[in-house]
Amino acid sequence: MIRFLVMGLLFYIGYRIIISLTSAKKPLQKAAENRDSSEETYRDPVCGVYISEKEAIIGRHDGKRHHFCSMNCLEKYREQLDHSSPS
Ligand SMILES: [Zn+2]
């Protein structure tokens, strides 16, 4: 009876090792694919500097995304909008 339990435990451990080996490979492949496509740059509409998506501060206006180099530029952009469209 004890032998049967030990056999079951060994099968269970082997099963867990196989599952962890097969599931560990998938996230690594996805990370490599994402790295290639994310190197886009955007122009800051306030000061004209080009920034990558990672560094940019993203502000939304009228459903569009605007990319800024700093919070100062984001606030300047919002101030300009407030003055030009008082609605
Ligand atoms: Zn800027």
Side-chain angles (χ1 to χ4, degrees), residues 79-87:
E79 274 174 36
Q80 283 174 8
L81 288 173
D82 287 343
H83 289 303
S84 60
S85 58
S87 60

Side-chain angles (χ1 to χ4, degrees), residues 44-49 51 67-70 72-74:
D44 183 330
V46 176
C47 69
V49 159
I51 346 104
H67 296 72
F68 302 93
C69 69
S70 65
N72 279 348
C73 284
L74 175 60

Side-chain angles (χ1 to χ4, degrees), residues 4-85:
F4 178 76
L5 285 173
V6 170
M7 285 284 280
L9 193 69
L10 285 173
F11 272 118
Y12 177 72
I13 290 166
Y15 174 75
R16 288 299 298 265
I17 288 167
I18 289 163
I19 290 292
S20 65
L21 285 174
T22 52
S23 62
K25 282 179 182 176
K26 285 173 185 175
L28 283 172
Q29 284 178 339
K30 275 189 178 178
E33 282 171 18
N34 288 343
R35 206 177 291 160
D36 292 333
S37 59
S38 64
E39 288 299 317
E40 248 179 295
T41 54
Y42 298 90
R43 190 168 172 274
D44 183 330
V46 176
C47 69
V49 159
Y50 286 88
I51 346 104
S52 69
E53 174 107 54
K54 283 176 197 167
E55 293 167 321
I57 291 157
I58 295 164
R60 287 166 195 275
H61 178 69
D62 283 346
K64 288 178 185 173
R65 281 150 56 96
H66 298 279
H67 296 72
F68 302 93
C69 69
S70 65
M71 283 303 290
N72 279 348
C73 284
L74 175 60
E75 269 158 35
K76 271 186 196 174
Y77 186 76
R78 279 183 179 160
E79 274 174 36
Q80 283 174 8
L81 288 173
D82 287 343
H83 289 303
S84 60
S85 58

